[in-house]
Amino acid sequence: MGVVEDLLDRQAALAKDRYQWEQHWLDVANYALPNVDRFDRLFNNGTSQMDSWASGPKGADRARAIYDTTSLWAVDRGVAGFMSLITPQSETWHGIASQDALTDSSDQETDEWSEKFANYLHKMRNNPQTGFWISHKSALRAMWALGTGIQFVSENLQRGADAPMSYRYVQLSESYLATNYEGIVDTNFRCFTKTAAQCLAKWGDKCSADVRAKAVDAKSKDQMVDLVHAVLPRAKRGSGLNTRRNAPWAEFYFERKTKHVLHEGGYNAFPYVVYHWNQMGNDAYSEGPMALALAEVKSLNALSKDALRASQQAVNPPTASIDDGFGRVNLNPGKNNPGLVSADGRLLVQPIVTAPRPDFAESVLNIKREQIKESLYVNLWQLLINSPNMTATEALIRAEEKGQLLGPAAASLYTGIARLVDVETQYLVERGAFEPDQPLALPQAMQGKEIAVQMDTPLDRMRRASQVTGMQRTLEFGATLAQLKQDPAILNKFDEDTMLDTARKVFGAPASMFKTAEEVQQARAETAQMEQMMQAISIAKAGGAAAKAVGEGAQAVESSPALTGLAAGAVPIQGQ
């Protein structure tokens, strides 16, 4: 069997394993993501009519079944909250540190390099040419709703250091994932489609003869071609040069129908960044918060449909009339209906009133909406907003509470972010960005060491806010104790440098605001020398003043007759 046949067999096995998730994803997509992730596209069906129907706009069709939009905006608000607290577009949210947990390699030079590297990645991602924020937001939406979001990071050799990578969101419906022994996703078979013209523009003469013929024909150039991008651990690695074809991960692009290989290569880091909400064991996929809220969302929509029907019945109730050939009753405003009043003035058409209670239905709907908000963490974003008039200490305490509540939900996302930075760093390593003569050259303290991502998100700083409040309270207690004991030396136990370093990290201030250890030591030595000089001058001045006072006293003695006599030994006698 050829390599493509083996790959197709593996993809078929992964599709069988994924089948149990697909109905759940379709249910969630119908209520939370009606315009994305077309799980109803039957890729393996192969019929052009079905593919044409499934590739059309489905959001409008799915939205017809939605009678309450709480689940739609709750997902968007949850993603916005996550992005603002974990991956904000306006600031950096991670650094780089040594993986050695037993050795503290942090110093001013290392902190400034980590900050410089984080600033570079932040600037690169903010470049619209990379497409990072669009793909990142889509991946987080998929993680929030479906439990799993995927982002593909590829190297862009045509661009310079300002945009050396490209980021694309990959729909979960296109991806067939597998994990390694440790439960880390290391395999993806992405099944997708492109037009024949797009394939020719991407791979040129490497396309099959069938695709090339379609691509140059005006009638068939826009026909879709089924493609597969397979990335999986390489079974055997040679002992030759470290080329892409000998990299730890093998890569294949091929046409599904013709089994024609378009490209073969490799990666030194798995390029598909997978965000899980709550991964269990070795599962390649996970459930999101919508999984627990789905039953409530379905009941809310069903009840909203009934409430809408009750409201319509109250506003425009059905009517009952005698069968006397009146024809259709015109209920439009200002219209006359002759013959519908009896001789005694009684209406021959009466509304059918079933005593609907839209107000009661609305109260039940509000309860269910609140339950969905709680399930999707929407109410957590209101913790600080609802109490704007707080002192600085109260704000720190409230921020810590918010961070502790959201921390467990963000823990799994941190794993995905760490792998994202790993992929980006590997591409930069291959470009030689960390060589000694490059702007991102490693500092001496990190030479030859394994480095890892160190999260520094606004959420992390919220969770560490207790460190600042703890320092404030300890300082207050120390000052009180020093005053009580009348011993200012008690305050000598505090390390001002450590306190300032901790406060800077918690508040998210740049490391460059502090001087280096050598500069601080020199400044303190100069300050101490200046204090000694001032003290010497003060002593000299005090000594001069004392000498002057003694001289002036001697002159006073010499000029006083009484004191002169005393000085000569004459003692005055009383009564003389």
Side-chain angles (χ1 to χ4, degrees), residues 457-534:
T457 68
L459 180 60
D460 281 289
R461 295 194 288 271
M462 284 182 176
R463 300 180 73 181
R464 297 199 303 266
S466 60
Q467 298 178 10
V468 176
T469 56
M471 288 192 303
Q472 290 177 340
R473 292 170 180 172
T474 306
L475 279 171
E476 292 172 359
F477 180 78
T480 302
L481 186 62
Q483 183 178 7
L484 181 65
K485 294 289 186 178
Q486 295 184 355
D487 184 10
I490 292 177
L491 300 178
N492 293 335
K493 189 176 180 62
F494 292 103
D495 187 344
E496 297 89 347
D497 290 346
T498 300
M499 294 166 60
L500 284 173
D501 289 337
T502 301
R504 180 193 68 78
K505 293 177 181 179
V506 171
F507 293 143
S512 56
M513 71 178 293
F514 285 164
K515 298 178 180 179
T516 64
E518 292 77 10
E519 292 173 339
V520 172
Q521 185 176 2
Q522 181 180 357
R524 287 174 175 172
E526 293 175 353
T527 302
Q529 184 179 5
M530 183 64 68
E531 289 177 352
Q532 292 177 356
M533 293 176 58
M534 296 301 295

Side-chain angles (χ1 to χ4, degrees), residues 146-376:
L146 305 170
T148 306
I150 305 173
Q151 194 172 16
F152 179 63
V153 186
S154 60
E155 190 176 16
N156 196 326
L157 298 176
Q158 284 73 36
R159 296 189 184 131
D162 59 332
M165 302 169 209
S166 295
Y167 304 83
R168 292 197 303 274
Y169 166 64
V170 177
Q171 294 191 25
L172 189 55
S173 57
E174 297 178 346
S175 301
Y176 298 84
L177 307 175
T179 62
N180 60 14
Y181 179 80
E182 297 178 349
I184 300 173
V185 176
D186 64 352
T187 300
N188 187 17
F189 284 77
R190 182 192 173 202
C191 301
F192 63 106
T193 60
K194 294 293 182 182
T195 66
Q198 291 171 339
C199 292
L200 185 63
K202 173 69 175 179
W203 291 288
D205 294 338
K206 294 181 180 179
C207 296
S208 65
D210 179 62
V211 172
R212 292 199 306 269
K214 290 180 179 179
V216 296
D217 188 347
K219 295 181 180 180
S220 59
K221 65 187 304 181
D222 293 320
Q223 288 186 9
M224 305 305 294
V225 179
D226 291 341
L227 302 172
V228 178
H229 182 217
V231 180
L232 65 163
R234 195 178 297 277
K236 294 181 180 180
R237 297 183 62 190
S239 57
L241 297 176
N242 187 22
T243 62
R244 285 296 178 91
R245 289 204 175 193
N246 195 35
W249 276 269
E251 175 195 38
F252 298 92
Y253 278 99
F254 62 89
E255 299 171 12
R256 188 182 187 90
K257 180 179 178 181
T258 63
K259 300 179 182 179
H260 179 78
V261 177
L262 298 168
H263 171 76
E264 181 180 354
Y267 296 97
N268 290 309
F270 187 59
Y272 285 98
V273 179
V274 181
Y275 301 107
H276 288 116
W277 178 267
N278 186 25
Q279 187 182 18
M280 303 296 291
N282 285 337
D283 288 342
Y285 313 97
S286 69
E287 293 180 327
M290 270 295 295
L292 299 178
L294 186 58
E296 203 68 46
V297 170
K298 288 183 176 181
S299 64
L300 174 62
N301 277 271
L303 185 57
S304 296
K305 183 178 180 180
D306 293 338
L308 178 61
R309 185 182 294 112
S311 299
Q312 291 174 332
Q313 189 178 36
V315 175
N316 187 19
T319 57
S321 62
I322 61 174
D323 187 9
D324 199 15
F326 295 117
R328 185 174 182 178
V329 178
N330 191 343
L331 298 179
N332 291 321
K335 297 298 182 180
N336 183 34
N337 289 272
L340 294 184
V341 180
S342 64
D344 57 356
R346 182 172 53 88
L347 287 175
L348 301 180
V349 176
Q350 297 287 341
I352 301 176
V353 180
T354 58
R357 290 286 307 277
D359 56 334
F360 174 75
E362 186 63 25
S363 64
V364 177
L365 288 174
N366 287 332
I367 294 175
K368 290 187 172 294
R369 290 182 183 120
E370 289 300 318
Q371 292 173 342
I372 293 174
K373 292 178 184 178
E374 292 288 345
S375 299
L376 298 181

Side-chain angles (χ1 to χ4, degrees), residues 40 68 80 86 109 166-167 279 281 391 404 429 435 455 467:
D40 43 11
D68 187 279
I86 300 178
E109 183 185 15
S166 295
Y167 304 83
Q279 187 182 18
T391 65
Q404 297 299 337
V429 167
E435 295 299 324
M455 300 306 300
Q467 298 178 10

